[in-house]
């Protein structure tokens, strides 16, 4: 036994001459390296998957760009032209007719409408075709063109009216007072309704 051989060791661990036994390193370090590499791969895959999910839900896959492009192509709603606005009370001529058994309604109603800026035409009893046959508060009667403006303007002065067109070609409008009529709408209420009528809501933008 060589003097280099530690006491108690022999056999294959015996050192002879200048040859030393080669001790193998444990495999623990290799396992740590492999485990670390695997963890890096797993974390990388998880991070990539998370990024894809974020892109899907946030619209980064091109949807956002497309939406932005569409917003760029959107055109603002056209501003209502002066021709589209309803006429002013001073531009509406009203004929007031009484279709009820109560006397004096046509005259008092016409006087109040005149104070509110309307032009008054004829005043009297309703024609036989409508006398005592208008069940509501009133009937607005006029040419087809009146349906585009004059009916709405005059309708702000009396709630519950109905409308009907006839064959006339003139711009005047008839207000035939019905049996349910009590009085015109309060001036403040009528003014608010008229102001709202002159400020229509803009149409949505076209994309």
């Amino acid at each position: 036994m060589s003097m280099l051989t530690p006491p108690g060791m022999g056999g294959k661990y015996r050192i002879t001459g200048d040859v030393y036994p080669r001790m193998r390193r444990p495999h623990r370090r290799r396992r740590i390296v492999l485990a670390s590499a695997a963890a890096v791969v797993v974390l990388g895959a998880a991070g990539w998957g998370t990024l894809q999910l974020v892109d899907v839900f946030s619209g980064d896959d091109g949807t956002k760009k497309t939406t932005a492009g569409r917003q760029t192509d959107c055109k603002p709603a056209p501003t209502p032209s002066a021709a589209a606005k309803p006429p002013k009370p001073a531009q509406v001529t009203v004929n007031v007719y009484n279709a009820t058994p109560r006397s004096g309604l046509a005259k008092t109603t016409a006087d109040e409408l005149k104070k509110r800026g309307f032009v008054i035409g004829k005043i009297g009893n309703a024609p036989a075709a409508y006398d005592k046959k208008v069940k509501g508060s009133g009937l607005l009667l006029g040419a087809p063109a009146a349906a585009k403006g004059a009916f709405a303007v005059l309708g702000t002065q009396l709630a519950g009216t109905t409308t009907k067109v006839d064959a006339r070609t003139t711009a005047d409008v008839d207000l035939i007072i019905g049996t349910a009529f009590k009085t015109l709408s309060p001036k403040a209420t009528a003014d608010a309704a008229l102001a709202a009528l002159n400020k229509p809501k803009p149409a949505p933008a076209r994309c």
Side-chain angles (χ1 to χ4, degrees), residues 28-165:
R28 181 178 300 174
R29 184 174 183 181
R30 176 185 288 182
R31 292 176 182 176
I32 293 175
V33 172
L34 292 176
S36 299
V40 171
V41 172
V42 171
L43 291 175
W48 183 83
T50 302
L51 181 61
Q52 293 300 313
L53 289 175
V54 171
D55 289 343
V56 168
F57 287 104
S58 63
D60 289 341
D61 56 347
T63 305
K64 185 179 295 184
K65 294 181 180 179
T66 303
T67 303
R70 290 179 180 175
Q71 291 178 350
T72 302
D73 296 337
C74 288
K75 296 180 180 180
T79 303
S81 62
K85 292 183 178 180
K88 296 179 180 180
Q91 297 173 311
V92 180
T93 299
V94 185
N95 304 313
V96 184
Y97 297 109
N98 184 8
T100 75
R102 294 172 287 169
S103 62
L105 286 182
K107 179 65 168 61
T108 56
T109 302
D111 290 344
E112 181 61 28
L113 287 175
K114 186 176 181 179
K115 292 178 182 178
R116 298 183 183 188
F118 290 87
V119 178
I120 302 301
K122 299 177 182 180
I123 301 174
N125 293 326
Y130 298 101
D131 190 25
K132 300 179 182 62
K133 296 177 183 178
V134 178
K135 303 300 182 182
S137 61
L139 172 66
L140 306 184
L141 186 64
K148 299 180 180 179
F151 282 171
V153 174
L154 186 55
T156 61
Q157 308 302 307
L158 178 60
T161 57
T162 57
T163 61
K164 183 179 179 180
V165 298

